[in-house]
Amino acid sequence: MTTKPPSSLRLTTVDTEDTVRIEVHGDLDYDNADHLLLAVTDKLAEHPRLGDLHLHCAGLELVDSMGLSILLMIHRRTSAAGVRLHLDDRPARLDRLLSLTGTLEHFTAPLTEGAEGSPGSSAEPPQTGGETTPAGPRDRTAPP
Amino acid sequence: MRHAPYPVFVADGQGTLLLRSDAAGALLPGARPGAVFTDVVPAWLSAAHDALTEPGRRAGRAVHTPVSGAISERSFEAHSSVQDDNSVVWWLIDDTDHQLVRDALQMERERTEFLAKTSNLLLSSLNLERCMDVTAQLAAEYLADAALVIAPARGQRLPVVSCLRGDSPVRSQESADPDDVPGLDEALRGFPPVPSRWIDPGVAPDWMVPADFGPVGSIVITPLPGHGVAAGALVLLRRSGTAAFTEGEEVFARLFATRAGAAMSAARLYAEQAAITEVLMRELLPPSLHQISGVDFSGGYRPSEDHERIGGDFYDVHPAAVEGEASLVALGDVCGKGLEAAVLTGKIRNTLHALLPMADDHQRMISLLNTALVNSHHTRFATLVLASAIREGSGVNLRLTSAGHPPPLIVRTSGEVEEAATSGTLVGAIPETRARTAAVTLAPGDSCVLYTDGITEAKGGPLGGTEFGEERLQRVLAQCAGMPSEGIVEHVQMLASQWVGKGRHDDMAVVVISAPRTQHLSAVNGRTRGRYTS
């Protein structure tokens, strides 16, 4: 468990072997969004066998265009690494931004890239808050 | 007493020297016992003696505060003790070295203070000319009788600021060859300075010496070091009557020059950046709009006041190439700020321009634009709205397509405000795009409002932190029903600006497309269809 301090963006991460969960609190904006990308990039490098990356978004406040750009970049990187990205517990505001910009589908569509496409795995993030996708051994995917 | 290691004098109340030590004799050979004390010792000591022995003063073995002064180029501190018989014993202690150290400390303090003042004055300005002025003035005030700050040559000319002590700095451009002055060319190229004693003051050209300065006694030429390249050279001049520059003073001048050069260099970099920003801004400035083929277009743009960050909003109107085809309006918002956003904005505007021949197919245009923009290095994106407008009878037919942008709002003359039913993906970040186009017909007096989120996300209001919001925008537009397009643009901009007040805001762009209210030229009873002006 690590906490990144200074900015108004705070990240709390919880790792298991094949799942990383990052709780995002504060503003994902022009000044801070980079931190999240760095954190995700680090996690991808640390866990080569990662199957699922959960960004827990309930604590997200402002997301500006730079923040969205960073989310798109994170999606691009996770897809390239064959990791499923989940934007969990999205606040209504984030949902509005994603649907306005036509990116909601992009973020929630099943993973198409990469060698592994274990059917039935949780590509669709939960639409209601509270419960997160269970992260257990059954989600574990074989290394390519 | 005679062999005391310090100079000691004993003199009585009448001022007669009674005794002296050998050391005192060596110091003041004329001071023999029996001599009049006040005649043979320096004035500062005799005055102190008089003060101690003046009549009426209570005698006693009191210790008095020491006095100090010079005796034959050395500095002494004289300690006195008054005896019972009113004679005074004077002990002299040589404190010359002590004094020298104290003076050096004092000078070091003054220099540090001066350097701190230099930094404060120079760093508070990002204007190169002002930096040069301040440098010349400070140098003339503290380091020399006159100082010149010379910037690297611009073409054949040397920008020069010269300042005489006590005067104001004077700017000029000298068409001089720096090679003509020994050490100047080297200094301008950032080489270490030539020692002052090697520069013949007689070679200083006329332009270097202020009028009425008189003969130059000594010169120091030192580089003003900048970031990577020299920021210029500092020339210090002293009159022939003034002491020449010492080595210590030259070193100090270099310390000063380091600070001044850094400030000038920063100012120059800032000026260059400001110039680039200005060029880009000019290029990105939205066009002024007017009526095209019977359709009214108006636009307004209020850039963010954050000057370093060139805004990311843009709009363009492309009139139809052929009469009878639609004109195309593009309004968009590029993610991020600064140079990268500006470059992306330029790319989008150029690409759209090149894609005009397929303006009848918005989806295709957006898809091609997206392909041109998607890039493996970043996910910088843009959202935009395309609007094709063509006059049809007295109305205007619109095709509106949003690519991830807030949908345009249609303002009917009745005061109804509707969102155009269009939506789509943003461009520039993901490989595939989809977009839905809405067809809308504007009756005379109806308007279509394209805007960027700088308006709806403007924070302000009575409490300061509330967003202007879409609902408020719709309410404002309802009151604009039937207004001409320019009126709507102005009204929206005014209210959004008032909402923000003095707060910071993002770029705000609005474009309004209106079907002009028609005037019936030959309508008789208002029921028959008349002819319209266009």
Side-chain angles (χ1 to χ4, degrees), chain B residues 63-107:
Chain B
V63 176
H64 301 272
T65 11
V67 290
S68 50
I71 299 174
S72 57
E73 293 185 354
R74 294 196 69 82
S75 167
F76 286 88
E77 208 168 58
H79 298 257
S80 59
S81 59
V82 181
Q83 309 298 306
D84 293 337
D85 60 357
N86 207 27
S87 65
V88 183
V89 182
W90 286 101
W91 294 76
L92 270 60
I93 297 163
D94 185 336
D95 68 347
T96 311
D97 296 330
H98 193 148
Q99 199 61 44
L100 281 177
V101 171
R102 216 181 298 164
D103 286 351
L105 178 67
Q106 176 68 19
M107 187 166 72

Side-chain angles (χ1 to χ4, degrees), chain A residues 53-119:
Chain A
L53 178 77
H54 294 268
L55 294 184
H56 183 82
C57 303
L60 255 186
E61 279 153 41
L62 186 138
V63 180
D64 72 356
S65 60
M66 208 58 189
L68 177 55
S69 172
I70 292 293
L71 287 178
L72 287 164
M73 184 52 102
I74 288 171
H75 185 268
R76 192 186 276 182
R77 299 235 171 118
T78 51
S79 299
V83 173
R84 280 176 299 272
L85 174 69
H86 306 266
L87 302 182
D88 295 341
D89 294 344
R90 294 188 299 270
R93 225 187 135 92
L94 177 59
D95 259 356
R96 259 206 309 283
L97 177 68
L98 296 185
S99 26
L100 174 66
T101 52
T103 49
L104 185 60
E105 242 176 65
H106 178 70
F107 280 113
T108 53
L111 190 61
T112 49
E113 265 175 89
E116 66 244 73
S118 51

Side-chain angles (χ1 to χ4, degrees), chain B residues 326-329 359-360 362 386-390 396-400 513:
Chain B
S327 301
L328 182 77
V329 180
D360 57 337
H362 286 181
L386 296 180
S388 291
I390 186 166
V396 170
N397 282 343
L398 290 176
R399 279 182 303 113
L400 301 167
I513 307 168

Side-chain angles (χ1 to χ4, degrees), chain B residues 456-524:
Chain B
T456 44
E457 286 174 8
K459 284 209 168 94
L463 297 173
T466 320
E467 280 197 357
F468 194 70
E470 276 150 43
E471 277 175 33
R472 198 181 320 269
L473 177 61
Q474 295 200 11
R475 278 206 300 278
V476 165
L477 288 175
Q479 291 158 10
C480 295
M483 274 167 65
S485 56
E486 295 127 51
I488 299 179
V489 169
E490 272 171 32
H491 195 68
V492 169
Q493 280 198 308
M494 186 188 75
L495 287 177
S497 297
Q498 279 177 356
W499 186 259
V500 172
K502 285 186 182 144
R504 283 161 58 119
H505 63 86
D506 212 347
D507 288 0
M508 301 178 179
V510 194
V511 169
V512 176
I513 307 168
S514 299
R517 283 179 172 275
T518 49
Q519 290 166 345
H520 290 250
L521 294 184
S522 59
V524 182

